Amino acid sequence: MLEKGLSATVHLTVTADKTALEIGSGDLAVFATPAMLAAMENAAMLAVADRLPQGSTTVGSEISASHIKPSPVGAAITATAVLTQVEERKLTFNVGASDNEGIIGEGTHVRFIVDRERFMARLTKNNQNIQNPK
């Protein structure tokens, strides 16, 4: 059962492949905003993963976050998500990230519960329609 307050935390270290320079979101070797957002999304996914019906997962649909402080290569990053609202299949989380000097980003993230097989089948069918239009 999904209830408010479920949470998860993800830990990672800033490596060269997680920098704005490598990802292409900037030209400095600092923790990239897309990498921070991915860590926040991962924490949200993990917060509810073991409470979902068998065959279900969640997919991200919206994220709104600020990246307020840079983190250098080698910094230890912690991303956390807390479930704040459950509306049928729609799940809303407060997300945040910090390094060893404090908060580096915060925001909200929305995920939807989906059936894995139906989701992928629909994606495959839509892709076939794009490749073979009538």
Side-chain angles (χ1 to χ4, degrees):
M1 179 165 179
L2 297 174
E3 66 264 350
K4 293 179 185 180
L6 291 174
S7 66
T9 300
V10 173
H11 301 278
L12 61 97
T13 300
V14 179
T15 52
D17 63 322
K18 294 178 181 69
T19 65
L21 180 62
E22 283 296 314
I23 288 177
S25 63
D27 60 5
L28 296 174
V30 296
F31 191 44
T33 301
M36 180 189 74
L37 297 174
M40 291 172 167
E41 283 197 84
N42 186 242
M45 179 197 67
L46 293 172
V48 298
D50 65 349
R51 301 287 184 99
L52 297 174
Q54 189 167 353
S56 295
T57 190
T58 59
V59 293
S61 69
E62 179 182 337
I63 190 161
S64 176
S66 59
H67 192 172
I68 56 178
K69 182 188 159 305
S71 301
V73 171
I77 304 295
T78 301
T80 302
V82 178
L83 183 61
T84 59
Q85 193 168 4
V86 179
E87 301 172 69
E88 296 184 21
R89 296 184 319 113
K90 180 181 178 183
L91 309 175
T92 304
F93 300 83
N94 281 343
V95 292
S98 60
D99 63 15
N100 44 349
E101 294 186 14
I103 296 171
I104 64 166
E106 56 193 359
T108 58
H109 176 46
V110 175
R111 299 185 74 77
F112 281 86
I113 300 168
V114 299
D115 178 273
R116 288 173 182 272
E117 286 186 22
R118 278 188 283 172
F119 185 86
M120 293 307 293
R122 186 172 52 235
L123 181 64
T124 301
K125 182 179 177 182
N126 288 344
N127 191 33
Q128 289 171 347
N129 290 338
I130 291 169
Q131 293 177 1
N132 302 310
K134 291 188 179 190

